[in-house]
Coordinates of all heavy atoms in Angstrom, one line a residue:
M1 N 156.4 34.8 79.8 CA 155.7 34.5 78.5 C 154.3 33.9 78.7 O 153.4 34.3 78.1 CB 156.6 33.6 77.7 CG 156.1 33.4 76.3 SD 157.4 32.5 75.4 CE 156.5 32.1 74.0
I2 N 154.3 33.0 79.7 CA 153.0 32.3 79.9 C 152.0 33.3 80.5 O 150.8 33.4 80.0 CB 153.2 31.2 81.0 CG1 153.9 30.1 80.3 CG2 151.8 30.7 81.5 CD1 154.4 29.0 81.3
A3 N 152.4 34.2 81.4 CA 151.5 35.2 82.0 C 151.0 36.2 80.9 O 149.9 36.6 80.9 CB 152.2 35.9 83.1
S4 N 151.9 36.6 80.0 CA 151.5 37.6 79.0 C 150.5 37.0 78.0 O 149.6 37.6 77.6 CB 152.7 38.1 78.3 OG 153.4 37.1 77.6
V5 N 150.7 35.7 77.7 CA 149.7 35.0 76.9 C 148.3 34.9 77.5 O 147.3 35.2 76.9 CB 150.2 33.6 76.4 CG1 149.1 32.8 75.8 CG2 151.4 33.7 75.5
F6 N 148.3 34.6 78.8 CA 147.0 34.5 79.5 C 146.4 35.9 79.7 O 145.2 36.0 79.7 CB 147.2 33.8 80.9 CG 146.9 32.3 80.8 CD1 147.9 31.4 80.3 CD2 145.7 31.8 81.3 CE1 147.6 30.1 80.2 CE2 145.5 30.5 81.2 CZ 146.4 29.6 80.7
D7 N 147.2 36.9 79.8 CA 146.7 38.3 79.9 C 146.1 38.7 78.6 O 145.1 39.4 78.5 CB 147.8 39.2 80.4 CG 148.1 39.1 81.9 OD1 147.3 38.5 82.6 OD2 149.2 39.5 82.3
R8 N 146.8 38.4 77.5 CA 146.4 38.8 76.2 C 145.2 38.1 75.7 O 144.3 38.7 75.0 CB 147.6 38.6 75.2 CG 147.2 39.1 73.8 CD 148.4 38.9 72.9 NE 149.0 40.3 72.8 CZ 150.0 40.5 72.1 NH1 150.6 39.6 71.4 NH2 150.5 41.8 72.0
Y9 N 145.1 36.8 76.0 CA 143.9 36.0 75.5 C 143.2 35.5 76.7 O 143.4 34.3 77.1 CB 144.4 34.9 74.6 CG 145.3 35.3 73.5 CD1 146.6 35.1 73.4 CD2 144.7 36.0 72.4 CE1 147.4 35.5 72.4 CE2 145.4 36.4 71.3 CZ 146.8 36.2 71.3 OH 147.5 36.6 70.3
P10 N 142.2 36.2 77.3 CA 141.5 35.8 78.5 C 140.6 34.6 78.2 O 140.2 33.9 79.1 CB 140.7 37.0 78.9 CG 140.6 37.9 77.7 CD 141.8 37.6 76.8
W11 N 140.3 34.3 77.0 CA 139.4 33.2 76.6 C 140.2 31.9 76.5 O 139.6 30.8 76.4 CB 138.7 33.4 75.3 CG 139.6 33.9 74.2 CD1 139.8 35.2 73.9 CD2 140.5 33.2 73.4 NE1 140.7 35.3 72.9 CE2 141.1 34.1 72.5 CE3 140.7 31.8 73.2 CZ2 142.1 33.7 71.6 CZ3 141.7 31.4 72.2 CH2 142.3 32.4 71.4
L12 N 141.5 31.9 76.6 CA 142.4 30.7 76.5 C 142.1 29.7 77.5 O 142.1 28.5 77.3 CB 143.8 31.1 76.5 CG 144.9 30.0 76.2 CD1 144.6 29.5 74.8 CD2 146.3 30.6 76.3
N13 N 141.8 30.2 78.7 CA 141.5 29.3 79.8 C 140.3 28.4 79.5 O 140.3 27.2 79.8 CB 141.3 30.1 81.1 CG 141.4 29.2 82.4 OD1 141.3 28.0 82.3 ND2 141.5 29.9 83.5
R14 N 139.2 29.0 79.0 CA 138.0 28.2 78.7 C 138.3 27.3 77.5 O 137.7 26.2 77.5 CB 136.9 29.2 78.3 CG 136.4 29.9 79.5 CD 135.2 30.8 79.1 NE 134.8 31.5 80.3 CZ 133.9 32.4 80.3 NH1 133.3 32.8 79.2 NH2 133.5 33.0 81.4
V15 N 139.1 27.7 76.6 CA 139.4 26.8 75.4 C 140.1 25.6 75.9 O 139.8 24.4 75.6 CB 140.1 27.5 74.3 CG1 140.7 26.6 73.3 CG2 139.3 28.6 73.7
L16 N 141.1 25.8 76.8 CA 141.9 24.7 77.3 C 141.1 23.8 78.2 O 141.2 22.5 78.2 CB 143.1 25.2 78.1 CG 144.2 25.9 77.2 CD1 145.3 26.4 78.1 CD2 144.8 24.9 76.2
M17 N 140.2 24.3 78.9 CA 139.3 23.5 79.8 C 138.3 22.7 78.9 O 138.1 21.5 79.2 CB 138.4 24.4 80.7 CG 137.8 23.7 81.8 SD 139.0 23.1 83.0 CE 139.1 24.4 84.2
G18 N 137.9 23.2 77.8 CA 137.1 22.5 76.8 C 137.9 21.4 76.2 O 137.4 20.3 75.9
V19 N 139.1 21.6 75.8 CA 140.0 20.6 75.3 C 140.2 19.4 76.3 O 140.1 18.3 75.9 CB 141.3 21.2 74.8 CG1 142.3 20.1 74.5 CG2 141.1 22.1 73.6
L20 N 140.4 19.8 77.5 CA 140.5 18.7 78.6 C 139.2 17.9 78.7 O 139.3 16.7 78.9 CB 140.9 19.3 79.9 CG 142.3 19.6 80.2 CD1 142.5 20.3 81.5 CD2 143.2 18.3 80.1
A21 N 138.1 18.6 78.6 CA 136.8 17.9 78.6 C 136.7 16.9 77.4 O 136.2 15.8 77.6 CB 135.7 18.9 78.6
V22 N 137.1 17.3 76.3 CA 137.1 16.4 75.1 C 138.0 15.2 75.3 O 137.7 14.1 75.0 CB 137.4 17.2 73.8 CG1 137.7 16.3 72.6 CG2 136.3 18.2 73.5
F23 N 139.2 15.5 75.8 CA 140.1 14.4 76.1 C 139.5 13.4 77.1 O 139.6 12.2 76.9 CB 141.4 14.9 76.7 CG 142.3 15.7 75.7 CD1 143.3 16.5 76.2 CD2 142.1 15.6 74.4 CE1 144.1 17.2 75.4 CE2 142.9 16.3 73.5 CZ 143.9 17.2 74.0
T24 N 138.9 13.9 78.1 CA 138.3 13.0 79.1 C 137.1 12.3 78.5 O 137.0 11.0 78.8 CB 137.9 13.8 80.4 OG1 139.0 14.6 80.8 CG2 137.3 12.9 81.4
G25 N 136.3 12.9 77.8 CA 135.2 12.3 77.1 C 135.6 11.2 76.1 O 135.0 10.1 76.0
T26 N 136.7 11.4 75.4 CA 137.3 10.4 74.5 C 137.7 9.2 75.3 O 137.5 8.1 74.8 CB 138.4 11.0 73.7 OG1 138.0 12.2 73.0 CG2 139.0 10.1 72.7
C27 N 138.3 9.4 76.4 CA 138.8 8.3 77.2 C 137.6 7.4 77.7 O 137.6 6.2 77.7 CB 139.6 8.8 78.4 SG 141.2 9.4 78.0
V28 N 136.5 8.1 78.1 CA 135.3 7.4 78.6 C 134.7 6.6 77.4 O 134.3 5.5 77.6 CB 134.3 8.4 79.2 CG1 133.0 7.7 79.5 CG2 134.9 9.0 80.5
V29 N 134.6 7.2 76.2 CA 134.0 6.5 75.1 C 134.9 5.4 74.7 O 134.4 4.3 74.3 CB 133.9 7.5 73.9 CG1 133.5 6.8 72.6 CG2 132.8 8.5 74.2
A30 N 136.2 5.5 74.8 CA 137.1 4.4 74.5 C 137.0 3.2 75.4 O 137.2 2.1 75.0 CB 138.6 4.9 74.5
V31 N 136.5 3.4 76.6 CA 136.3 2.3 77.5 C 135.1 1.5 77.0 O 135.2 0.2 77.0 CB 135.9 2.8 78.9 CG1 135.4 1.8 79.8 CG2 137.2 3.4 79.6
V32 N 134.1 2.1 76.5 CA 132.9 1.4 76.0 C 133.3 0.7 74.6 O 132.9 -0.4 74.4 CB 131.8 2.4 75.8 CG1 130.6 1.7 75.1 CG2 131.3 3.0 77.1
A33 N 134.1 1.4 73.8 CA 134.4 0.9 72.5 C 135.4 -0.3 72.6 O 135.3 -1.2 71.8 CB 135.0 2.0 71.6
R34 N 136.3 -0.2 73.5 CA 137.4 -1.3 73.6 C 137.0 -2.3 74.6 O 137.7 -3.3 74.7 CB 138.7 -0.6 73.9 CG 139.2 0.3 72.9 CD 140.5 0.7 73.1 NE 141.4 -0.4 72.6 CZ 142.7 -0.5 72.8 NH1 143.3 0.4 73.5 NH2 143.3 -1.5 72.4
L35 N 136.0 -2.1 75.4 CA 135.6 -3.0 76.5 C 136.8 -3.3 77.4 O 137.0 -4.4 77.8 CB 135.0 -4.3 75.9 CG 133.8 -4.1 75.1 CD1 133.4 -5.5 74.5 CD2 132.6 -3.6 75.9
S36 N 137.5 -2.2 77.8 CA 138.7 -2.3 78.6 C 138.7 -1.1 79.5 O 138.5 0.0 79.0 CB 139.9 -2.4 77.8 OG 141.1 -2.3 78.6
P37 N 139.1 -1.2 80.7 CA 139.3 0.0 81.6 C 140.6 0.7 81.4 O 140.7 1.8 82.0 CB 139.2 -0.6 83.0 CG 139.7 -2.0 82.9 CD 139.3 -2.4 81.5
L38 N 141.5 0.3 80.6 CA 142.8 0.9 80.4 C 142.7 2.3 79.9 O 143.5 3.2 80.3 CB 143.7 0.1 79.5 CG 144.1 -1.3 80.1 CD1 144.9 -2.0 79.1 CD2 144.9 -1.0 81.4
P39 N 141.8 2.7 79.0 CA 141.7 4.1 78.6 C 141.4 5.1 79.7 O 141.5 6.3 79.5 CB 140.6 4.1 77.5 CG 140.6 2.8 77.0 CD 140.9 1.9 78.2
L40 N 141.0 4.6 80.9 CA 140.7 5.5 82.0 C 141.9 5.9 82.7 O 141.8 6.7 83.7 CB 139.7 4.9 82.9 CG 138.2 4.7 82.4 CD1 137.4 4.0 83.4 CD2 137.6 6.1 82.1
I41 N 143.0 5.4 82.4 CA 144.3 5.7 83.2 C 144.6 7.2 83.2 O 144.9 7.7 84.3 CB 145.4 4.8 82.6 CG1 145.2 3.4 83.0 CG2 146.8 5.3 83.1 CD1 146.2 2.4 82.4
P42 N 144.5 7.9 82.1 CA 144.9 9.3 82.2 C 143.8 10.3 82.8 O 144.1 11.4 83.0 CB 145.2 9.7 80.7 CG 144.4 8.8 79.9 CD 144.3 7.5 80.7
V43 N 142.7 9.8 83.0 CA 141.6 10.6 83.5 C 141.9 11.3 84.8 O 141.7 12.5 84.9 CB 140.2 9.9 83.6 CG1 139.2 10.7 84.2 CG2 139.8 9.5 82.2
P44 N 142.5 10.7 85.8 CA 142.8 11.4 87.0 C 143.8 12.5 86.8 O 143.8 13.6 87.4 CB 143.4 10.3 88.0 CG 142.9 9.1 87.5 CD 142.7 9.2 86.0
L45 N 144.8 12.3 85.9 CA 145.7 13.3 85.5 C 145.1 14.5 84.8 O 145.5 15.6 85.0 CB 146.9 12.7 84.7 CG 147.8 11.8 85.5 CD1 148.7 11.0 84.6 CD2 148.6 12.6 86.5
F46 N 144.1 14.2 83.9 CA 143.4 15.2 83.3 C 142.6 16.1 84.3 O 142.4 17.3 84.1 CB 142.5 14.7 82.2 CG 143.2 14.1 81.0 CD1 142.6 13.2 80.1 CD2 144.5 14.5 80.7 CE1 143.2 12.7 79.1 CE2 145.2 13.9 79.6 CZ 144.6 13.1 78.8
L47 N 142.1 15.4 85.3 CA 141.3 16.1 86.4 C 142.3 17.0 87.1 O 141.9 18.2 87.5 CB 140.6 15.2 87.3 CG 139.5 14.4 86.7 CD1 138.9 13.4 87.7 CD2 138.4 15.3 86.2
V48 N 143.5 16.6 87.4 CA 144.5 17.4 88.1 C 144.8 18.6 87.2 O 145.0 19.7 87.6 CB 145.8 16.6 88.4 CG1 146.9 17.5 88.8 CG2 145.5 15.6 89.5
A49 N 145.0 18.4 85.9 CA 145.2 19.4 84.9 C 144.1 20.5 84.9 O 144.3 21.7 84.9 CB 145.5 18.9 83.5
G50 N 142.9 20.0 85.0 CA 141.7 20.9 85.0 C 141.7 21.7 86.3 O 141.3 22.9 86.3
Y51 N 142.1 21.1 87.4 CA 142.2 21.8 88.7 C 143.2 22.9 88.5 O 143.0 24.0 89.0 CB 142.5 20.8 89.8 CG 142.7 21.5 91.1 CD1 141.6 22.0 91.8 CD2 144.0 21.7 91.7 CE1 141.8 22.7 93.0 CE2 144.2 22.3 92.9 CZ 143.1 22.8 93.6 OH 143.2 23.5 94.8
G52 N 144.3 22.6 87.9 CA 145.4 23.6 87.7 C 144.8 24.8 86.9 O 145.1 26.0 87.2
L53 N 144.1 24.5 85.8 CA 143.5 25.6 85.0 C 142.5 26.4 85.8 O 142.3 27.6 85.7 CB 142.8 25.0 83.8 CG 143.7 24.8 82.6 CD1 142.9 24.2 81.4 CD2 144.4 26.1 82.2
W54 N 141.7 25.6 86.6 CA 140.6 26.3 87.5 C 141.3 27.3 88.4 O 140.8 28.4 88.6 CB 139.9 25.2 88.2 CG 138.7 25.8 89.0 CD1 138.7 26.1 90.3 CD2 137.4 26.0 88.5 NE1 137.5 26.6 90.6 CE2 136.6 26.5 89.5 CE3 136.8 25.9 87.2 CZ2 135.3 26.9 89.4 CZ3 135.5 26.2 87.1 CH2 134.7 26.7 88.2
Q55 N 142.4 26.9 89.0 CA 143.1 27.7 90.0 C 143.8 28.9 89.3 O 143.9 30.0 89.8 CB 144.1 27.0 90.8 CG 143.5 26.0 91.7 CD 142.7 26.7 92.8 OE1 143.1 27.7 93.3 NE2 141.6 26.1 93.2
A56 N 144.3 28.7 88.1 CA 144.9 29.7 87.3 C 144.0 30.8 86.9 O 144.4 31.9 86.6 CB 145.6 29.1 86.1
R57 N 142.7 30.5 86.9 CA 141.7 31.5 86.4 C 141.6 32.7 87.2 O 141.5 33.8 86.7 CB 140.4 30.7 86.4 CG 139.2 31.4 85.9 CD 138.1 30.4 85.9 NE 137.7 29.9 87.2 CZ 136.6 30.2 87.8 NH1 135.8 31.0 87.2 NH2 136.4 29.7 89.0
G58 N 141.8 32.6 88.5 CA 141.6 33.8 89.4 C 142.9 34.3 90.0 O 142.8 35.2 90.9
V59 N 144.0 33.9 89.5 CA 145.3 34.3 90.1 C 145.7 35.7 89.5 O 145.6 35.9 88.3 CB 146.4 33.2 89.8 CG1 147.7 33.7 90.2 CG2 146.1 31.9 90.5
T60 N 146.2 36.5 90.4 CA 146.7 37.8 89.9 C 148.2 37.9 89.9 O 148.7 38.7 89.1 CB 146.2 38.9 90.9 OG1 146.6 38.6 92.2 CG2 144.6 39.0 90.8
E61 N 148.9 37.1 90.7 CA 150.4 37.2 90.6 C 150.9 36.3 89.5 O 150.4 35.2 89.2 CB 150.9 36.7 91.9 CG 150.7 37.6 93.1 CD 151.4 37.1 94.3 OE1 152.4 36.4 94.2 OE2 150.9 37.4 95.4
R62 N 151.9 36.8 88.8 CA 152.4 36.0 87.7 C 153.1 34.7 88.1 O 153.0 33.7 87.4 CB 153.4 36.9 86.9 CG 152.7 38.0 86.1 CD 153.8 38.8 85.3 NE 153.1 39.9 84.6 CZ 152.7 39.8 83.3 NH1 152.9 38.6 82.7 NH2 152.1 40.8 82.7
R63 N 153.8 34.7 89.2 CA 154.5 33.5 89.6 C 153.5 32.4 89.9 O 153.7 31.2 89.5 CB 155.3 33.8 90.8 CG 156.1 32.6 91.3 CD 157.1 33.0 92.4 NE 158.0 32.0 92.8 CZ 159.1 31.7 92.2 NH1 159.6 32.4 91.2 NH2 159.9 30.7 92.6
Q64 N 152.4 32.7 90.6 CA 151.3 31.7 90.9 C 150.7 31.2 89.6 O 150.4 30.0 89.4 CB 150.3 32.2 91.8 CG 150.7 32.4 93.2 CD 149.6 33.0 94.1 OE1 148.7 33.6 93.6 NE2 149.7 32.7 95.4
L65 N 150.5 32.1 88.6 CA 149.9 31.8 87.3 C 150.8 30.8 86.6 O 150.3 29.8 86.1 CB 149.7 33.0 86.5 CG 149.1 32.8 85.1 CD1 147.7 32.2 85.2 CD2 149.1 34.0 84.3
V66 N 152.1 31.1 86.6 CA 153.0 30.2 85.9 C 153.0 28.8 86.6 O 153.0 27.8 85.9 CB 154.4 30.8 85.9 CG1 155.5 29.8 85.5 CG2 154.5 32.0 85.0
N67 N 153.0 28.8 87.9 CA 152.9 27.5 88.6 C 151.7 26.7 88.3 O 151.8 25.5 88.1 CB 153.0 27.7 90.2 CG 154.4 28.2 90.6 OD1 155.4 28.0 89.9 ND2 154.4 28.8 91.7
W68 N 150.5 27.3 88.3 CA 149.3 26.6 88.0 C 149.3 26.1 86.5 O 148.8 25.0 86.2 CB 148.1 27.4 88.3 CG 147.8 27.6 89.7 CD1 147.8 28.7 90.4 CD2 147.5 26.5 90.7 NE1 147.5 28.5 91.8 CE2 147.3 27.1 91.9 CE3 147.4 25.1 90.6 CZ2 147.0 26.4 93.0 CZ3 147.1 24.4 91.7 CH2 146.9 25.0 92.9
V69 N 149.7 26.9 85.6 CA 149.8 26.5 84.2 C 150.8 25.4 84.0 O 150.6 24.5 83.2 CB 150.1 27.8 83.3 CG1 150.3 27.3 81.9 CG2 148.9 28.7 83.3
L70 N 151.9 25.5 84.7 CA 152.9 24.4 84.7 C 152.3 23.1 85.2 O 152.5 22.0 84.6 CB 154.1 24.8 85.5 CG 155.3 23.8 85.4 CD1 155.8 23.8 84.0 CD2 156.4 24.3 86.3
L71 N 151.5 23.1 86.2 CA 150.8 21.9 86.7 C 149.9 21.4 85.6 O 149.8 20.2 85.4 CB 150.0 22.2 88.0 CG 149.1 21.1 88.5 CD1 150.0 20.0 89.0 CD2 148.1 21.6 89.6
F72 N 149.1 22.3 85.0 CA 148.2 21.9 83.9 C 149.0 21.1 82.8 O 148.7 20.1 82.3 CB 147.5 23.1 83.3 CG 147.1 22.9 81.9 CD1 146.0 22.1 81.6 CD2 147.7 23.5 80.8 CE1 145.6 21.9 80.3 CE2 147.3 23.3 79.5 CZ 146.2 22.5 79.3
A73 N 150.1 21.8 82.4 CA 150.9 21.2 81.3 C 151.5 19.9 81.6 O 151.5 18.9 80.8 CB 152.0 22.2 80.8
L74 N 152.1 19.8 82.8 CA 152.8 18.5 83.2 C 151.8 17.4 83.4 O 152.0 16.3 83.0 CB 153.6 18.8 84.5 CG 154.9 19.5 84.3 CD1 155.5 19.8 85.7 CD2 155.8 18.8 83.4
A75 N 150.6 17.7 84.0 CA 149.6 16.6 84.2 C 149.1 16.1 82.9 O 148.9 14.9 82.7 CB 148.5 17.2 85.1
T76 N 148.9 17.0 82.0 CA 148.4 16.6 80.6 C 149.4 15.8 79.9 O 149.1 14.7 79.4 CB 148.0 17.9 79.8 OG1 147.1 18.7 80.5 CG2 147.4 17.5 78.5
M77 N 150.7 16.2 79.9 CA 151.7 15.5 79.2 C 151.9 14.1 79.9 O 152.1 13.1 79.2 CB 153.0 16.3 79.2 CG 153.0 17.4 78.2 SD 154.6 18.2 78.0 CE 154.7 19.1 79.6
V78 N 151.9 14.1 81.2 CA 152.1 12.8 81.9 C 150.9 11.8 81.6 O 151.1 10.6 81.4 CB 152.4 13.0 83.4 CG1 152.3 11.6 84.1 CG2 153.7 13.7 83.6
G79 N 149.7 12.4 81.5 CA 148.6 11.5 81.2 C 148.7 10.9 79.8 O 148.5 9.7 79.6
F80 N 149.1 11.7 78.8 CA 149.3 11.2 77.5 C 150.5 10.2 77.4 O 150.4 9.1 76.8 CB 149.5 12.3 76.4 CG 148.3 12.9 76.0 CD1 148.1 14.3 76.2 CD2 147.3 12.2 75.4 CE1 146.9 14.9 75.8 CE2 146.1 12.8 75.0 CZ 145.9 14.2 75.2
W81 N 151.6 10.5 78.1 CA 152.7 9.6 78.2 C 152.3 8.3 78.8 O 152.7 7.2 78.3 CB 153.9 10.2 78.9 CG 155.0 9.3 79.2 CD1 156.0 9.0 78.3 CD2 155.3 8.6 80.4 NE1 156.8 8.1 78.8 CE2 156.4 7.8 80.1 CE3 154.7 8.5 81.6 CZ2 157.0 7.0 81.1 CZ3 155.2 7.7 82.5 CH2 156.4 6.9 82.3
L82 N 151.6 8.3 79.9 CA 151.2 7.1 80.6 C 150.3 6.2 79.7 O 150.5 5.0 79.7 CB 150.5 7.5 81.9 CG 150.2 6.4 82.9 CD1 151.6 5.8 83.4 CD2 149.5 7.0 84.1
I83 N 149.4 6.8 79.0 CA 148.5 5.9 78.2 C 149.3 5.4 77.0 O 149.0 4.2 76.6 CB 147.3 6.7 77.7 CG1 146.2 5.7 77.2 CG2 147.6 7.7 76.6 CD1 145.6 4.9 78.2
S84 N 150.3 6.1 76.5 CA 151.1 5.5 75.4 C 152.0 4.3 76.0 O 152.2 3.3 75.3 CB 152.0 6.6 74.8 OG 153.0 7.0 75.7
V85 N 152.5 4.5 77.2 CA 153.3 3.4 77.7 C 152.5 2.2 78.0 O 152.9 1.0 77.7 CB 154.0 3.9 79.0 CG1 154.6 2.7 79.8 CG2 155.1 4.9 78.7
V86 N 151.3 2.3 78.6 CA 150.4 1.2 78.8 C 150.0 0.6 77.5 O 149.9 -0.6 77.4 CB 149.2 1.7 79.6 CG1 148.2 0.6 79.7 CG2 149.7 2.0 81.0
G87 N 149.8 1.4 76.5 CA 149.4 0.9 75.2 C 150.5 0.0 74.6 O 150.2 -1.0 73.9
R88 N 151.7 0.3 74.8 CA 152.9 -0.5 74.3 C 152.9 -1.8 75.1 O 153.3 -2.8 74.6 CB 154.2 0.3 74.4 CG 154.3 1.3 73.3 CD 155.7 1.8 73.3 NE 155.6 3.2 73.0 CZ 156.2 4.2 73.6 NH1 157.1 3.9 74.5 NH2 156.0 5.4 73.2
W89 N 152.7 -1.7 76.4 CA 152.7 -3.0 77.2 C 151.6 -4.0 76.8 O 151.9 -5.1 76.9 CB 152.5 -2.6 78.7 CG 153.7 -2.0 79.4 CD1 155.0 -1.9 78.9 CD2 153.7 -1.3 80.6 NE1 155.7 -1.2 79.8 CE2 155.0 -0.8 80.9 CE3 152.7 -1.0 81.5 CZ2 155.3 -0.1 82.0 CZ3 153.0 -0.2 82.6 CH2 154.3 0.2 82.9
V90 N 150.5 -3.4 76.5 CA 149.4 -4.3 76.1 C 149.6 -5.0 74.8 O 149.1 -6.1 74.6 CB 148.0 -3.5 76.2 CG1 146.9 -4.3 75.7 CG2 147.8 -3.0 77.6
E91 N 150.2 -4.3 73.9 CA 150.4 -4.9 72.6 C 151.2 -6.1 72.7 O 151.5 -7.1 72.7 CB 151.2 -4.0 71.6 CG 150.3 -2.8 71.2 CD 151.1 -1.9 70.2 OE1 152.3 -2.1 70.0 OE2 150.5 -1.0 69.7

């Protein structure tokens, strides 16, 4: 299913990369707004997710594509989960 979506919509990779850039930019702006380094916690995971998307861009085999997209999805979800857990600890 993942491979067929990426085949059908070739622009999806760029859109997801743009969304990751917005997420990362929001984290950087939050550091300045909150005067705390805690919003930078998910940034390394967003970079890993971006690397997964970057690698998925040129893959021709479906199995490799699924693996790279899975890396993107897991790294993004863990980044959001981690910032929510830290947010609860700080409260």
Side-chain angles (χ1 to χ4, degrees):
M1 186 170 170
I2 292 171
S4 64
V5 169
F6 266 78
D7 288 342
R8 179 176 263 183
Y9 304 108
W11 46 265
L12 186 61
N13 196 344
R14 288 185 182 170
V15 169
L16 291 175
M17 198 65 93
V19 169
L20 276 176
V22 169
F23 291 161
T24 305
T26 303
C27 290
V28 171
V29 170
V31 168
V32 175
R34 299 191 77 193
L35 298 175
S36 171
L38 291 178
L40 289 177
I41 290 173
V43 171
L45 290 165
F46 291 160
L47 293 176
V48 170
Y51 177 73
L53 276 180
W54 185 266
Q55 291 296 322
R57 186 171 63 107
V59 171
T60 56
E61 290 185 28
R62 289 183 179 264
R63 185 172 183 89
Q64 286 180 339
L65 179 65
V66 169
N67 289 339
W68 287 117
V69 171
L70 187 63
L71 175 69
F72 156 74
L74 286 175
T76 304
M77 287 188 287
V78 169
F80 281 121
W81 173 79
L82 193 59
I83 196 67
S84 71
V85 168
V86 170
R88 283 189 219 137
W89 286 343
V90 173
E91 286 182 355

